[in-house]
Amino acid sequence: MALAFKPASKTQAKARIALAGPSGSGKTYTALLLAKSMGARIALVDSERGSASKYAGEPGIPAFDVLELETFSPTEYMAAIDAAEQAGYDVLIIDSLSHAWAGKDGILEQVDVAKAKSKSGNAFTDGWRHASPLHNKFVDRMLASRLDLITTMRSHTEYVLEERN
């Protein structure tokens, strides 16, 4: 089968936006403002123990529906994407994607569990062999979503204290 090029088109293109910053830097607020300009129906997956709901009813913030996760397995995030698509939302905000990596039942925890169950106790041969395909499936699911997608991720801020003479 020969490869064939076709003219580029913006039709069906969905946004994939990631906002990163330290805690309290305005990621959720910014995501909601962005979502307002992207679609009428907004869903938000909240892994921050309900913190996104503090913006409900604030001036300039659009109405949104929230799903609060209790566990942060990538399969839970994928199920949330499926639910948002099935419910007909236009935009999905995942706040925060960081927990899928380092939260309860997240990828790093799954590596540790798989390593502990293995005979060798080797994180690279046993832990990551289990976790990497799951993580890749999650990334593929986000990219394949029919929704405009905005994710937030925590970054760490390094502080350096210097003495002045």
PDB file of all heavy atoms in Angstrom, residues 71-103:
ATOM      1  N   THR A  71      -9.652   7.699  43.567  1.00  0.00           N
ATOM      2  CA  THR A  71      -8.463   6.938  43.242  1.00  0.00           C
ATOM      3  C   THR A  71      -7.931   7.470  41.919  1.00  0.00           C
ATOM      4  O   THR A  71      -8.707   7.942  41.093  1.00  0.00           O
ATOM      5  CB  THR A  71      -8.746   5.424  43.174  1.00  0.00           C
ATOM      6  OG1 THR A  71      -7.551   4.739  42.805  1.00  0.00           O
ATOM      7  CG2 THR A  71      -9.835   5.104  42.176  1.00  0.00           C
ATOM      8  N   PHE A  72      -6.636   7.401  41.730  1.00  0.00           N
ATOM      9  CA  PHE A  72      -6.035   8.079  40.588  1.00  0.00           C
ATOM     10  C   PHE A  72      -5.379   7.128  39.598  1.00  0.00           C
ATOM     11  O   PHE A  72      -4.433   7.484  38.912  1.00  0.00           O
ATOM     12  CB  PHE A  72      -5.054   9.140  41.092  1.00  0.00           C
ATOM     13  CG  PHE A  72      -5.658  10.008  42.146  1.00  0.00           C
ATOM     14  CD1 PHE A  72      -5.119  10.076  43.411  1.00  0.00           C
ATOM     15  CD2 PHE A  72      -6.816  10.730  41.881  1.00  0.00           C
ATOM     16  CE1 PHE A  72      -5.696  10.869  44.391  1.00  0.00           C
ATOM     17  CE2 PHE A  72      -7.405  11.523  42.861  1.00  0.00           C
ATOM     18  CZ  PHE A  72      -6.844  11.592  44.117  1.00  0.00           C
ATOM     19  N   SER A  73      -5.922   5.935  39.508  1.00  0.00           N
ATOM     20  CA  SER A  73      -5.456   4.990  38.506  1.00  0.00           C
ATOM     21  C   SER A  73      -5.757   5.557  37.121  1.00  0.00           C
ATOM     22  O   SER A  73      -6.828   6.149  36.908  1.00  0.00           O
ATOM     23  CB  SER A  73      -6.184   3.650  38.672  1.00  0.00           C
ATOM     24  OG  SER A  73      -5.962   2.831  37.546  1.00  0.00           O
ATOM     25  N   PRO A  74      -4.848   5.397  36.192  1.00  0.00           N
ATOM     26  CA  PRO A  74      -5.142   5.840  34.819  1.00  0.00           C
ATOM     27  C   PRO A  74      -6.434   5.254  34.261  1.00  0.00           C
ATOM     28  O   PRO A  74      -7.097   5.901  33.468  1.00  0.00           O
ATOM     29  CB  PRO A  74      -3.918   5.375  34.029  1.00  0.00           C
ATOM     30  CG  PRO A  74      -2.813   5.396  35.032  1.00  0.00           C
ATOM     31  CD  PRO A  74      -3.463   4.927  36.322  1.00  0.00           C
ATOM     32  N   THR A  75      -6.827   4.072  34.712  1.00  0.00           N
ATOM     33  CA  THR A  75      -8.095   3.499  34.238  1.00  0.00           C
ATOM     34  C   THR A  75      -9.282   4.337  34.703  1.00  0.00           C
ATOM     35  O   THR A  75     -10.278   4.438  33.990  1.00  0.00           O
ATOM     36  CB  THR A  75      -8.265   2.035  34.686  1.00  0.00           C
ATOM     37  OG1 THR A  75      -8.162   1.956  36.109  1.00  0.00           O
ATOM     38  CG2 THR A  75      -7.210   1.134  34.055  1.00  0.00           C
ATOM     39  N   GLU A  76      -9.185   4.959  35.891  1.00  0.00           N
ATOM     40  CA  GLU A  76     -10.248   5.845  36.370  1.00  0.00           C
ATOM     41  C   GLU A  76     -10.331   7.104  35.511  1.00  0.00           C
ATOM     42  O   GLU A  76     -11.415   7.563  35.172  1.00  0.00           O
ATOM     43  CB  GLU A  76     -10.015   6.239  37.833  1.00  0.00           C
ATOM     44  CG  GLU A  76     -10.277   5.122  38.810  1.00  0.00           C
ATOM     45  CD  GLU A  76     -11.749   4.742  38.858  1.00  0.00           C
ATOM     46  OE1 GLU A  76     -12.596   5.628  39.074  1.00  0.00           O
ATOM     47  OE2 GLU A  76     -12.039   3.555  38.670  1.00  0.00           O
ATOM     48  N   TYR A  77      -9.191   7.656  35.173  1.00  0.00           N
ATOM     49  CA  TYR A  77      -9.164   8.828  34.300  1.00  0.00           C
ATOM     50  C   TYR A  77      -9.748   8.479  32.929  1.00  0.00           C
ATOM     51  O   TYR A  77     -10.511   9.256  32.355  1.00  0.00           O
ATOM     52  CB  TYR A  77      -7.733   9.357  34.147  1.00  0.00           C
ATOM     53  CG  TYR A  77      -7.217  10.155  35.310  1.00  0.00           C
ATOM     54  CD1 TYR A  77      -6.580   9.539  36.384  1.00  0.00           C
ATOM     55  CD2 TYR A  77      -7.331  11.542  35.329  1.00  0.00           C
ATOM     56  CE1 TYR A  77      -6.072  10.282  37.436  1.00  0.00           C
ATOM     57  CE2 TYR A  77      -6.827  12.286  36.374  1.00  0.00           C
ATOM     58  CZ  TYR A  77      -6.203  11.654  37.429  1.00  0.00           C
ATOM     59  OH  TYR A  77      -5.708  12.399  38.472  1.00  0.00           O
ATOM     60  N   MET A  78      -9.384   7.314  32.398  1.00  0.00           N
ATOM     61  CA  MET A  78      -9.919   6.904  31.091  1.00  0.00           C
ATOM     62  C   MET A  78     -11.426   6.715  31.155  1.00  0.00           C
ATOM     63  O   MET A  78     -12.150   7.104  30.234  1.00  0.00           O
ATOM     64  CB  MET A  78      -9.220   5.635  30.597  1.00  0.00           C
ATOM     65  CG  MET A  78      -7.781   5.874  30.175  1.00  0.00           C
ATOM     66  SD  MET A  78      -6.978   4.433  29.423  1.00  0.00           S
ATOM     67  CE  MET A  78      -6.592   3.455  30.877  1.00  0.00           C
ATOM     68  N   ALA A  79     -11.919   6.146  32.241  1.00  0.00           N
ATOM     69  CA  ALA A  79     -13.368   5.991  32.412  1.00  0.00           C
ATOM     70  C   ALA A  79     -14.053   7.356  32.496  1.00  0.00           C
ATOM     71  O   ALA A  79     -15.167   7.531  31.976  1.00  0.00           O
ATOM     72  CB  ALA A  79     -13.666   5.164  33.662  1.00  0.00           C
ATOM     73  N   ALA A  80     -13.396   8.329  33.108  1.00  0.00           N
ATOM     74  CA  ALA A  80     -13.955   9.685  33.191  1.00  0.00           C
ATOM     75  C   ALA A  80     -14.023  10.323  31.804  1.00  0.00           C
ATOM     76  O   ALA A  80     -15.005  11.008  31.479  1.00  0.00           O
ATOM     77  CB  ALA A  80     -13.120  10.537  34.141  1.00  0.00           C
ATOM     78  N   ILE A  81     -13.016  10.112  30.987  1.00  0.00           N
ATOM     79  CA  ILE A  81     -13.039  10.631  29.606  1.00  0.00           C
ATOM     80  C   ILE A  81     -14.197   9.999  28.851  1.00  0.00           C
ATOM     81  O   ILE A  81     -14.963  10.694  28.166  1.00  0.00           O
ATOM     82  CB  ILE A  81     -11.701  10.372  28.895  1.00  0.00           C
ATOM     83  CG1 ILE A  81     -10.581  11.184  29.543  1.00  0.00           C
ATOM     84  CG2 ILE A  81     -11.818  10.702  27.402  1.00  0.00           C
ATOM     85  CD1 ILE A  81      -9.185  10.805  29.081  1.00  0.00           C
ATOM     86  N   ASP A  82     -14.355   8.688  28.993  1.00  0.00           N
ATOM     87  CA  ASP A  82     -15.469   7.984  28.338  1.00  0.00           C
ATOM     88  C   ASP A  82     -16.813   8.559  28.784  1.00  0.00           C
ATOM     89  O   ASP A  82     -17.702   8.812  27.965  1.00  0.00           O
ATOM     90  CB  ASP A  82     -15.429   6.485  28.661  1.00  0.00           C
ATOM     91  CG  ASP A  82     -14.251   5.758  28.035  1.00  0.00           C
ATOM     92  OD1 ASP A  82     -13.638   6.289  27.085  1.00  0.00           O
ATOM     93  OD2 ASP A  82     -13.942   4.651  28.513  1.00  0.00           O
ATOM     94  N   ALA A  83     -16.968   8.776  30.093  1.00  0.00           N
ATOM     95  CA  ALA A  83     -18.227   9.299  30.632  1.00  0.00           C
ATOM     96  C   ALA A  83     -18.515  10.702  30.106  1.00  0.00           C
ATOM     97  O   ALA A  83     -19.657  11.030  29.763  1.00  0.00           O
ATOM     98  CB  ALA A  83     -18.185   9.300  32.162  1.00  0.00           C
ATOM     99  N   ALA A  84     -17.492  11.540  30.017  1.00  0.00           N
ATOM    100  CA  ALA A  84     -17.680  12.902  29.504  1.00  0.00           C
ATOM    101  C   ALA A  84     -18.084  12.884  28.033  1.00  0.00           C
ATOM    102  O   ALA A  84     -18.949  13.661  27.615  1.00  0.00           O
ATOM    103  CB  ALA A  84     -16.408  13.723  29.695  1.00  0.00           C
ATOM    104  N   GLU A  85     -17.482  12.010  27.267  1.00  0.00           N
ATOM    105  CA  GLU A  85     -17.855  11.896  25.852  1.00  0.00           C
ATOM    106  C   GLU A  85     -19.291  11.408  25.701  1.00  0.00           C
ATOM    107  O   GLU A  85     -20.069  11.975  24.926  1.00  0.00           O
ATOM    108  CB  GLU A  85     -16.899  10.952  25.123  1.00  0.00           C
ATOM    109  CG  GLU A  85     -15.544  11.539  24.877  1.00  0.00           C
ATOM    110  CD  GLU A  85     -14.599  10.607  24.138  1.00  0.00           C
ATOM    111  OE1 GLU A  85     -14.891   9.388  24.022  1.00  0.00           O
ATOM    112  OE2 GLU A  85     -13.570  11.092  23.677  1.00  0.00           O
ATOM    113  N   GLN A  86     -19.632  10.383  26.469  1.00  0.00           N
ATOM    114  CA  GLN A  86     -20.987   9.829  26.382  1.00  0.00           C
ATOM    115  C   GLN A  86     -22.043  10.825  26.828  1.00  0.00           C
ATOM    116  O   GLN A  86     -23.166  10.815  26.328  1.00  0.00           O
ATOM    117  CB  GLN A  86     -21.079   8.539  27.201  1.00  0.00           C
ATOM    118  CG  GLN A  86     -20.294   7.399  26.593  1.00  0.00           C
ATOM    119  CD  GLN A  86     -20.151   6.218  27.528  1.00  0.00           C
ATOM    120  OE1 GLN A  86     -20.729   6.172  28.616  1.00  0.00           O
ATOM    121  NE2 GLN A  86     -19.354   5.242  27.112  1.00  0.00           N
ATOM    122  N   ALA A  87     -21.701  11.705  27.741  1.00  0.00           N
ATOM    123  CA  ALA A  87     -22.648  12.709  28.234  1.00  0.00           C
ATOM    124  C   ALA A  87     -22.761  13.917  27.302  1.00  0.00           C
ATOM    125  O   ALA A  87     -23.594  14.789  27.528  1.00  0.00           O
ATOM    126  CB  ALA A  87     -22.244  13.165  29.630  1.00  0.00           C
ATOM    127  N   GLY A  88     -21.921  13.984  26.264  1.00  0.00           N
ATOM    128  CA  GLY A  88     -22.035  15.047  25.274  1.00  0.00           C
ATOM    129  C   GLY A  88     -21.385  16.370  25.641  1.00  0.00           C
ATOM    130  O   GLY A  88     -21.780  17.415  25.124  1.00  0.00           O
ATOM    131  N   TYR A  89     -20.391  16.352  26.522  1.00  0.00           N
ATOM    132  CA  TYR A  89     -19.687  17.593  26.853  1.00  0.00           C
ATOM    133  C   TYR A  89     -18.855  18.062  25.665  1.00  0.00           C
ATOM    134  O   TYR A  89     -18.479  17.273  24.797  1.00  0.00           O
ATOM    135  CB  TYR A  89     -18.787  17.396  28.076  1.00  0.00           C
ATOM    136  CG  TYR A  89     -19.579  17.252  29.354  1.00  0.00           C
ATOM    137  CD1 TYR A  89     -19.831  16.004  29.901  1.00  0.00           C
ATOM    138  CD2 TYR A  89     -20.086  18.369  29.998  1.00  0.00           C
ATOM    139  CE1 TYR A  89     -20.571  15.873  31.067  1.00  0.00           C
ATOM    140  CE2 TYR A  89     -20.822  18.252  31.167  1.00  0.00           C
ATOM    141  CZ  TYR A  89     -21.065  17.001  31.686  1.00  0.00           C
ATOM    142  OH  TYR A  89     -21.798  16.875  32.841  1.00  0.00           O
ATOM    143  N   ASP A  90     -18.572  19.354  25.631  1.00  0.00           N
ATOM    144  CA  ASP A  90     -17.726  19.944  24.591  1.00  0.00           C
ATOM    145  C   ASP A  90     -16.263  19.969  25.005  1.00  0.00           C
ATOM    146  O   ASP A  90     -15.365  19.789  24.188  1.00  0.00           O
ATOM    147  CB  ASP A  90     -18.163  21.390  24.297  1.00  0.00           C
ATOM    148  CG  ASP A  90     -19.601  21.473  23.828  1.00  0.00           C
ATOM    149  OD1 ASP A  90     -19.980  20.692  22.949  1.00  0.00           O
ATOM    150  OD2 ASP A  90     -20.343  22.323  24.369  1.00  0.00           O
ATOM    151  N   VAL A  91     -16.034  20.263  26.292  1.00  0.00           N
ATOM    152  CA  VAL A  91     -14.680  20.448  26.825  1.00  0.00           C
ATOM    153  C   VAL A  91     -14.537  19.628  28.099  1.00  0.00           C
ATOM    154  O   VAL A  91     -15.442  19.595  28.925  1.00  0.00           O
ATOM    155  CB  VAL A  91     -14.403  21.932  27.152  1.00  0.00           C
ATOM    156  CG1 VAL A  91     -12.976  22.131  27.642  1.00  0.00           C
ATOM    157  CG2 VAL A  91     -14.691  22.830  25.965  1.00  0.00           C
ATOM    158  N   LEU A  92     -13.375  18.994  28.241  1.00  0.00           N
ATOM    159  CA  LEU A  92     -13.066  18.278  29.479  1.00  0.00           C
ATOM    160  C   LEU A  92     -11.781  18.848  30.064  1.00  0.00           C
ATOM    161  O   LEU A  92     -10.768  18.964  29.370  1.00  0.00           O
ATOM    162  CB  LEU A  92     -12.880  16.778  29.217  1.00  0.00           C
ATOM    163  CG  LEU A  92     -12.453  15.947  30.431  1.00  0.00           C
ATOM    164  CD1 LEU A  92     -13.532  15.982  31.519  1.00  0.00           C
ATOM    165  CD2 LEU A  92     -12.154  14.518  30.021  1.00  0.00           C
ATOM    166  N   ILE A  93     -11.865  19.211  31.339  1.00  0.00           N
ATOM    167  CA  ILE A  93     -10.694  19.652  32.082  1.00  0.00           C
ATOM    168  C   ILE A  93     -10.305  18.521  33.030  1.00  0.00           C
ATOM    169  O   ILE A  93     -11.152  18.027  33.775  1.00  0.00           O
ATOM    170  CB  ILE A  93     -10.992  20.931  32.896  1.00  0.00           C
ATOM    171  CG1 ILE A  93     -11.401  22.082  31.976  1.00  0.00           C
ATOM    172  CG2 ILE A  93      -9.785  21.316  33.758  1.00  0.00           C
ATOM    173  CD1 ILE A  93     -11.964  23.292  32.709  1.00  0.00           C
ATOM    174  N   ILE A  94      -9.050  18.118  32.990  1.00  0.00           N
ATOM    175  CA  ILE A  94      -8.536  17.147  33.952  1.00  0.00           C
ATOM    176  C   ILE A  94      -7.638  17.922  34.911  1.00  0.00           C
ATOM    177  O   ILE A  94      -6.578  18.402  34.529  1.00  0.00           O
ATOM    178  CB  ILE A  94      -7.768  16.002  33.266  1.00  0.00           C
ATOM    179  CG1 ILE A  94      -8.700  15.216  32.350  1.00  0.00           C
ATOM    180  CG2 ILE A  94      -7.134  15.089  34.325  1.00  0.00           C
ATOM    181  CD1 ILE A  94      -8.016  14.103  31.571  1.00  0.00           C
ATOM    182  N   ASP A  95      -8.088  18.037  36.152  1.00  0.00           N
ATOM    183  CA  ASP A  95      -7.409  18.854  37.158  1.00  0.00           C
ATOM    184  C   ASP A  95      -7.193  18.001  38.416  1.00  0.00           C
ATOM    185  O   ASP A  95      -8.097  17.862  39.217  1.00  0.00           O
ATOM    186  CB  ASP A  95      -8.268  20.078  37.476  1.00  0.00           C
ATOM    187  CG  ASP A  95      -7.630  21.013  38.472  1.00  0.00           C
ATOM    188  OD1 ASP A  95      -6.398  21.122  38.463  1.00  0.00           O
ATOM    189  OD2 ASP A  95      -8.380  21.631  39.258  1.00  0.00           O
ATOM    190  N   SER A  96      -6.160  17.318  38.547  1.00  0.00           N
ATOM    191  CA  SER A  96      -4.859  17.475  37.971  1.00  0.00           C
ATOM    192  C   SER A  96      -4.384  16.134  37.409  1.00  0.00           C
ATOM    193  O   SER A  96      -4.654  15.086  37.987  1.00  0.00           O
ATOM    194  CB  SER A  96      -3.906  17.982  39.059  1.00  0.00           C
ATOM    195  OG  SER A  96      -2.569  17.742  38.797  1.00  0.00           O
ATOM    196  N   LEU A  97      -3.642  16.210  36.348  1.00  0.00           N
ATOM    197  CA  LEU A  97      -3.066  15.025  35.731  1.00  0.00           C
ATOM    198  C   LEU A  97      -1.917  14.472  36.575  1.00  0.00           C
ATOM    199  O   LEU A  97      -1.572  13.299  36.478  1.00  0.00           O
ATOM    200  CB  LEU A  97      -2.579  15.391  34.327  1.00  0.00           C
ATOM    201  CG  LEU A  97      -2.254  14.276  33.369  1.00  0.00           C
ATOM    202  CD1 LEU A  97      -3.443  13.358  33.174  1.00  0.00           C
ATOM    203  CD2 LEU A  97      -1.813  14.843  32.041  1.00  0.00           C
ATOM    204  N   SER A  98      -1.358  15.280  37.426  1.00  0.00           N
ATOM    205  CA  SER A  98      -0.224  14.866  38.263  1.00  0.00           C
ATOM    206  C   SER A  98      -0.551  13.643  39.124  1.00  0.00           C
ATOM    207  O   SER A  98       0.306  12.801  39.371  1.00  0.00           O
ATOM    208  CB  SER A  98       0.216  16.011  39.170  1.00  0.00           C
ATOM    209  OG  SER A  98       0.639  17.097  38.399  1.00  0.00           O
ATOM    210  N   HIS A  99      -1.795  13.538  39.588  1.00  0.00           N
ATOM    211  CA  HIS A  99      -2.155  12.424  40.460  1.00  0.00           C
ATOM    212  C   HIS A  99      -2.170  11.089  39.720  1.00  0.00           C
ATOM    213  O   HIS A  99      -1.969  10.046  40.336  1.00  0.00           O
ATOM    214  CB  HIS A  99      -3.506  12.685  41.107  1.00  0.00           C
ATOM    215  CG  HIS A  99      -3.458  13.817  42.068  1.00  0.00           C
ATOM    216  ND1 HIS A  99      -3.860  15.090  41.731  1.00  0.00           N
ATOM    217  CD2 HIS A  99      -3.014  13.895  43.339  1.00  0.00           C
ATOM    218  CE1 HIS A  99      -3.682  15.885  42.757  1.00  0.00           C
ATOM    219  NE2 HIS A  99      -3.163  15.191  43.748  1.00  0.00           N
ATOM    220  N   ALA A 100      -2.390  11.097  38.409  1.00  0.00           N
ATOM    221  CA  ALA A 100      -2.336   9.849  37.638  1.00  0.00           C
ATOM    222  C   ALA A 100      -0.919   9.296  37.627  1.00  0.00           C
ATOM    223  O   ALA A 100      -0.713   8.105  37.416  1.00  0.00           O
ATOM    224  CB  ALA A 100      -2.823  10.084  36.211  1.00  0.00           C
ATOM    225  N   TRP A 101       0.047  10.147  37.872  1.00  0.00           N
ATOM    226  CA  TRP A 101       1.439   9.723  37.921  1.00  0.00           C
ATOM    227  C   TRP A 101       1.860   9.387  39.353  1.00  0.00           C
ATOM    228  O   TRP A 101       2.379   8.307  39.611  1.00  0.00           O
ATOM    229  CB  TRP A 101       2.340  10.817  37.341  1.00  0.00           C
ATOM    230  CG  TRP A 101       3.773  10.409  37.255  1.00  0.00           C
ATOM    231  CD1 TRP A 101       4.782  10.789  38.084  1.00  0.00           C
ATOM    232  CD2 TRP A 101       4.352   9.522  36.295  1.00  0.00           C
ATOM    233  NE1 TRP A 101       5.960  10.199  37.695  1.00  0.00           N
ATOM    234  CE2 TRP A 101       5.722   9.416  36.594  1.00  0.00           C
ATOM    235  CE3 TRP A 101       3.850   8.818  35.207  1.00  0.00           C
ATOM    236  CZ2 TRP A 101       6.598   8.636  35.858  1.00  0.00           C
ATOM    237  CZ3 TRP A 101       4.716   8.036  34.463  1.00  0.00           C
ATOM    238  CH2 TRP A 101       6.069   7.952  34.792  1.00  0.00           C
ATOM    239  N   ALA A 102       1.596  10.306  40.282  1.00  0.00           N
ATOM    240  CA  ALA A 102       2.155  10.161  41.624  1.00  0.00           C
ATOM    241  C   ALA A 102       1.109  10.081  42.733  1.00  0.00           C
ATOM    242  O   ALA A 102       1.455  10.225  43.899  1.00  0.00           O
ATOM    243  CB  ALA A 102       3.111  11.321  41.904  1.00  0.00           C
ATOM    244  N   GLY A 103      -0.145   9.858  42.413  1.00  0.00           N
ATOM    245  CA  GLY A 103      -1.180   9.783  43.438  1.00  0.00           C
ATOM    246  C   GLY A 103      -1.525   8.358  43.815  1.00  0.00           C
ATOM    247  O   GLY A 103      -0.917   7.400  43.344  1.00  0.00           O
TER     248      GLY A 103
END
